């Protein structure tokens, strides 16, 4: 489902800076050789994530769902000196691609990869978290939020991807599959949580930003 006319979307992308060469190379490899390449953040969303990171100037970023590493590389651009992105994924096939592109970008000192379930890794990471990006298995979104929200500093951000789910979040409850229902539950939970201030941005498949009060 397109939330904006494709021509306007292309216009936005064309006027959102230049995609860094290392990210373009990663995106092209992802689309050429990796399953479900639409999971790659891509240029427009990547520039948006990089912008948010620059504004927050985080010391600790937690990313739940690495995929091929595009979003981790974007988020790492805005790190404060000495900061670190901790990116988490359990996919057994993608770590070599991720490691190669982190090295090519020269970000080996800014990104740490974790290859265990996120709910096991999160309690072991340094706190407070300044920025969290959730882009993993949809049914676990509410559990991920619960795991991180009290570890985020006041003013920090929790960002969740795919919250519009190609428009399926508008389906009647009895027609929703388990992934759609989980995303609806996530949006409701975050919207009603007094610890955060939320807003949904209809960029690509929808980003929900929640600022920690």
């Amino acid at each position: 489902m397109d939330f904006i006319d494709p021509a306007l979307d292309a216009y936005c992308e064309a006027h959102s800076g230049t995609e860094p060469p290392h990210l373009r190379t990663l995106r092209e490899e992802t689309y050429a050789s990796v399953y479900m390449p639409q999971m790659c953040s891509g240029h427009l969303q990547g520039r948006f994530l990089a912008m948010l990171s620059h504004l927050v100037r985080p010391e600790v970023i937690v990313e739940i769902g690495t995929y091929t590493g595009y979003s981790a590389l974007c988020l790492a651009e805005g790190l404060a000196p000495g900061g670190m992105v901790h990116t988490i994924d359990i996919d057994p096939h993608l770590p070599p691609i991720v490691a190669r592109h982190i090295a090519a970008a020269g970000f080996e000192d800014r990104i740490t990869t974790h290859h265990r379930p996120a709910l096991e890794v999160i309690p072991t990471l340094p706190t407070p978290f300044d920025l969290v990006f959730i882009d993993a298995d949809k049914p676990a979104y509410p559990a991920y939020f619960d795991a991180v929200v009290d570890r985020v500093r006041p003013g920090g951000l929790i960002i969740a991807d795919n919250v519009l789910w190609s428009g399926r979040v508008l389906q009647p409850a009895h027609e929703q599959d388990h992934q759609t229902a989980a995303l609806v539950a996530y949006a409701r939970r975050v919207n009603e949580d007094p610890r955060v201030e939320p807003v949904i941005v209809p960029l690509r498949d929808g980003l929900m930003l929640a600022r920690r009060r």
Side-chain angles (χ1 to χ4, degrees):
M1 178 177 180
D2 293 323
F3 296 104
I4 186 173
D5 181 284
L8 282 175
D9 189 59
Y11 179 87
C12 291
E13 186 166 304
H15 293 81
S16 295
T18 301
E19 186 177 34
H22 66 274
L23 290 175
R24 183 177 65 252
T25 300
L26 172 55
R27 176 175 52 80
E28 290 172 350
E29 180 177 345
T30 299
Y31 273 83
S33 62
V34 181
Y35 63 94
M36 297 182 69
Q38 69 274 15
M39 292 171 56
C40 183
S41 287
H43 175 54
L44 183 59
Q45 181 172 298
R47 290 304 87 204
F48 186 71
L49 293 174
M51 177 74 75
L52 292 175
S53 184
H54 278 290
L55 291 172
V56 173
R57 296 296 290 164
E59 295 182 5
V60 178
I61 296 176
V62 177
E63 178 183 53
I64 305 171
T66 308
Y67 191 50
T68 56
Y70 193 104
S71 52
L73 289 167
C74 293
L75 291 167
E77 293 178 28
L79 283 168
M84 182 66 65
V85 176
H86 294 272
T87 184
I88 309 166
D89 208 302
I90 59 172
D91 190 297
H93 306 294
L94 296 178
I97 295 175
V98 174
R100 178 159 44 81
H101 285 278
I102 289 173
F107 280 13
E108 292 167 297
D109 61 341
R110 298 189 230 178
I111 301 176
T112 298
T113 57
H114 301 266
H115 305 295
R116 288 189 293 140
L119 295 178
E120 295 179 8
V121 174
I122 289 167
T124 71
L125 299 178
T127 56
F129 303 159
D130 301 295
L131 192 156
V132 176
F133 182 47
I134 303 172
D135 188 13
D137 51 320
K138 310 313 171 190
Y141 270 34
Y144 295 148
F145 177 80
D146 290 341
V148 302
V149 63
D150 285 329
R151 293 178 167 90
V152 175
R153 66 163 173 83
L157 289 179
I158 302 171
I159 308 166
D161 198 9
N162 304 116
V163 296
L164 298 181
W165 207 226
S166 297
R168 293 193 291 274
V169 292
L170 298 180
Q171 292 174 334
H174 68 276
E175 296 180 7
Q176 296 172 3
D177 61 22
H178 68 290
Q179 295 190 90
T180 305
L183 289 166
V184 171
Y186 178 84
R188 182 183 304 113
R189 177 176 300 189
V190 174
N191 191 58
E192 295 174 353
D193 195 309
R195 293 171 292 183
V196 297
E197 299 171 346
V199 62
I200 289 179
V201 180
L203 175 64
R204 291 190 79 223
D205 202 21
L207 292 171
M208 190 169 196
L209 282 64
R211 178 183 177 274
R212 186 70 162 88
R213 295 182 188 271

